[in-house]
Amino acid sequence: MKPLAISLAALLVLTAQICAETLRINGSTTVNLPVAESAEILRAEQKMDIQVDTQGGSSGGISMLGDGLVQIGMSSKPVSAEDRAKYPSVQFNEVHVGEDAVALIVSKDVWDGGVRSLTKQQLKEIYEGRITNWKELGGKPQRIAFFNKEPGRGTWEVFVHWVYGSPAAAPKVSFPEVGGNEETRNKVASTRGALSQLSSSWADGKKVFALALKGDDGVPVAPITENIATRKYPLSRPLFLLTKGEPQGAVKVFVDFLLSERGQDLVKKHGYLRLKDLVK
Amino acid sequence: MRKATDIAVAAVAGLCALIAVGILVGLVSVIARRGGPALSWGFLTEQIRLVGASGGIFWNLVGTLILLATAFTACAPPAIAIALVERVWLQNERGRRALRTFLYTANGVPSIVFGLFGFILFVQWCGWGKSWLAGGLVLAMTMLPTVTVSLIERLKTIPPAYIQAAAALGLSRSKIIWAVLLPQSWGGLLTGSLLALARAAGETAPVMFTATIFAGATLPRGIKESPVLSLPYHIFILAQDSFDPEVGSKLWGAALVLLALVFVLSLIALPMRLKIHEEANL
Amino acid sequence: MTRTLSWFFSMLALAAMLLLLGIFAWQSIPVWQHDGTRYLTGVKWFFRSREFGALPMIYGSLVVSFIALIVAAPLGFGAAICTAEYLPRPARLAVKVLIELLAGVPSVVYGLLGILLLRDWIYDVFARFEPLNGDTLLTAGILLAVMVLPTLVTLGDDALRGVPAAQRRAARALGLTRAETLISVTLPQAARGFGSALLLGFGRTLGETIAVFLVVGRQDNNLPEHWLSVNKWLESGQTITSKLGSSETNIAYGDPLHWAAIAGLGLILLAMTGAAAFLGTSFGKRSDA
């Protein structure tokens, strides 16, 4: 029995050492696209061992980094004070790798019905169930089928941050929930009167359409590149790689790659804004 | 009137059977039509590229096979042991009945519950993280009742004369097990396992929290933090998060491959299973 | 040695199952302490404000399973009557093979088909009831009906074939037609087996996760005024399993109370499926894995 235990222990130690070379990444499906492609390149060119997963969205990335299950978290929202309090010993380091906007997208019938923009107040009333029909917003009579992003998604947090100031201030409501980006686009495209929050790069303008948002001055601002770059569009959000402390070793190689010209081109390829596109 | 009722009942029953079979045919044809174009040799031998839009499903297939092999290995010893306890070692009827109730109840446990159990026990408490072994063990738990019951049914069909003859030769019960029962019941173990493996191959819920990730895993090295890719999880993720129309056909291709794998496993087991099933019902 | 090994591995399996039950019971303790039985009867689930009421999900699970059985039972038992009473042996075997194959189709593949076909179909067919979208309890129920169909056919077929052939021959000799024999002799005797099949099928549908997750809409707290009212069937809902499979499971771990609420859902599900499986097997004579 004893030799078995010793060899088992040896095996575990050995495994731990081998595994130290594997770079594990988890988090936001939005950030995943350029990251997964970067990983493919680094795997091929640098023979690096990189595993990418998207469990639990941004919150999953933050908590798995906090729990030490991954070395890089992907997040489409900043690490909140709450998260930092939950993992007091972890030094979350946010590396800004690109910028994205959360669009309010609608199905074709709503767009064709003439609804092209919303105000913050209107969004609030839709979210709280006081406005339930597009005709109240200048569209054709059709009930509003709102799909809410599921909890933990960066998209949802950015949305309630703008409308309510913080996730904690958001009212307690229950809507049908959607998770992944394709799921969201697919459901909105195939449902009459549909509205949901979605990364603006996925709003193709063929099946789903991004509404402009009206600020206090009443001027509609569409989620197009120049408005995101200048932060005129209010629902823009930074995309982050999260590391524990300053990146080192394989983590640094990966982060540096995504910040390099080639990495940034991947960010652009997937519809997001590169760092250099942003107007500082 | 009576004759009309007679025909009507037959017609309705026949129609029901036809619908049931029609559902299968329709389902397979939809998947084959959508997934067929994606199939090629490269689809099976290349790894995923461009987040599922390009390349193939090689490591997903390998990962699924690893999980199945692990599950089978972990499941066989307890399945044999329980079947022997039920058939040989337990002599009182009450104990047997309790054991069978246990098996049937275990068979009713939803696979997501096994998945969460594995997540708590292996991933968190044992600190394995997502690991092929955790997934294999969880799948083994989902398989155990099916395999055991199939083995018990097989043991029941062994003619008592064999056992009496062996006993008359003065063999002990353990000797009888090794010389008569086990050699005669491999078929039961195999058919039960193949059927259970067919089911396990398509399971997503038990492995999504315990063993599989979306991309980047190849062959596992060690136990800790060694996830694998798998076909069902791949389909599950792409179904919610494909960004590229190209992913669509790859997605259905993966579904077609998974379906083929499941069908092949069930079909190999089928002749023997039907035989046992029919005999048990005579 | 053989004996020891047999008992050892059997006990190992038993211990694993008990451990499973124990872990879910133990991990859910905080939510019982926090809410008591209000956890079961509470109608609001908002984890951010630490409100955990499981009733809407229990309702969702029961409703989708109920719909599945309502739809699948006539079809499944009809098909079972066909295979057991009418078809000649070769055709019978052929149908049984196909039904076995249908039983093997993975849950995620059903989910994919649900997204592609069933969702839009429900949305169009029931358009005059103005469903907000195609992801409804009804969609999940019908998808589950297809998934549970093979179980009902196989177990129904077993129940019918368990009725001694001599009784059928006697009834036919008395001049009864096939249909009359079936209705007055065979079916009454197979009724227990049918009941058992329904219970086992019910357990199956309660525990099904992935396919339901993809089409049920995952809307929390959607309870009807009255349990028997059907007006929520065409709305999105949440089942116990769709919640367990969702992103909340990832978020919850590390927060004892939230995690306890998730583990508690697992425990409730275990109790429901365990009861269905136990009743189903003790009700009927035999069941098949």
Side-chain angles (χ1 to χ4, degrees), chain B residues 61-96:
Chain B
L61 203 54
V62 169
T64 289
L65 295 178
I66 290 173
L67 289 174
L68 292 186
T70 314
F72 173 72
T73 314
C75 177
I80 297 171
I82 299 173
L84 288 177
V85 164
E86 205 272 351
R87 289 279 86 203
V88 182
W89 304 115
L90 267 181
Q91 289 297 321
N92 63 340
E93 199 47 43
R94 267 184 69 188
R96 281 183 177 176

Side-chain angles (χ1 to χ4, degrees), chain A residues 15 40 49 52-53 55 183, chain B residues 50 130 208 215 221-222 240:
Chain A
T15 340
E40 280 169 22
D49 193 6
V52 188
D53 199 8
Q55 208 153 45
E183 193 189 10
Chain B
L50 306 182
K130 281 190 177 179
M208 64 193 273
R221 292 162 306 180
Q240 300 177 76

Side-chain angles (χ1 to χ4, degrees), chain A residues 55-56 59 86 143-145 147 150-152 156 172-179 183 186-187 190-192, chain C residues 46-49 51 115 119-120 123 127 130-133 135 217-221 236 247-248 250-251 253:
Chain A
Q55 208 153 45
S59 293
K86 193 168 160 190
R143 280 205 291 166
I144 299 175
F147 294 96
E150 68 186 6
W156 181 84
K172 294 186 286 185
V173 294
S174 304
F175 287 100
E177 279 173 3
V178 287
E183 193 189 10
N186 184 356
K187 285 189 178 178
S190 63
T191 305
R192 290 180 289 276
Chain C
F46 292 110
F47 75 89
R48 285 197 178 76
S49 55
E51 285 173 73
I115 294 177
R119 198 153 60 88
D120 295 341
Y123 190 52
E130 296 185 353
L132 264 186
N133 58 64
D135 304 278
R218 312 202 293 281
Q219 176 171 6
D220 277 328
N221 304 320
S236 300
S247 66
E248 255 197 72
N250 283 299
I251 298 172
Y253 197 84

